[in-house]
Amino acid sequence: MQKKSFDVPAMYGDHHVSEVRRILLEIPGVEEVYASSAFKRVVVSYDPARLNPSVIEENLRAAGYGPGDDWELPSPPEGKDDNSPWFKLVQRITKTNMLDLQMSGDFRKY
């Protein structure tokens, strides 16, 4: 049995870890899979007589978890302090409505 490790930047959550493990454990010849979203790394123990490590990498790429692929979170939208209608038409309330304050007190009683 041999081990091979892959850096997988797109694996950033536990749901990705579960999916990567499921994908790799279905490959004949894969014995164990250790995957960490914290370290973004996968370590695969496999039988070299039955499996070439390139097959593991191909399966990761096909599933969207390409080893070594650069992956970034999408950039946030531009600031909303523009002259869009959203900012022109929205009413701004800067004073507390006393009725709202009194009603919130009633909710606290129950």
Side-chain angles (χ1 to χ4, degrees):
M1 188 177 331
Q2 290 186 352
K3 289 186 179 183
K4 175 110 172 122
S5 66
F6 301 93
D7 292 326
V8 185
M11 187 175 60
Y12 59 85
D14 289 342
H15 57 289
H16 294 289
V17 169
S18 299
E19 183 65 11
V20 165
R21 285 182 45 79
R22 183 191 66 75
I23 290 165
L24 295 180
L25 287 171
E26 288 178 355
I27 302 171
V30 171
E31 303 294 329
E32 289 181 345
V33 176
Y34 170 77
S36 170
S37 60
F39 298 109
K40 299 181 184 335
R41 181 169 295 214
V42 176
V43 179
V44 181
S45 299
Y46 65 97
D47 181 4
R50 295 177 59 198
L51 180 65
N52 188 341
S54 64
V55 173
I56 299 169
E57 187 171 340
E58 288 171 13
N59 279 294
L60 285 171
R61 284 194 193 286
Y65 300 101
D69 287 352
D70 287 335
W71 186 85
E72 296 178 8
L73 288 172
S75 59
E78 293 183 21
K80 288 293 184 178
D81 55 345
D82 55 7
N83 290 326
S84 67
W86 170 260
F87 273 87
K88 290 181 179 178
L89 299 176
V90 174
Q91 264 186 334
R92 303 276 192 260
I93 298 174
T94 58
K95 192 172 180 184
T96 303
N97 184 336
M98 293 310 288
L99 186 59
D100 286 341
L101 192 58
Q102 290 169 358
M103 286 174 55
S104 68
D106 287 339
F107 280 115
R108 289 185 209 145
K109 291 179 187 176
Y110 299 108

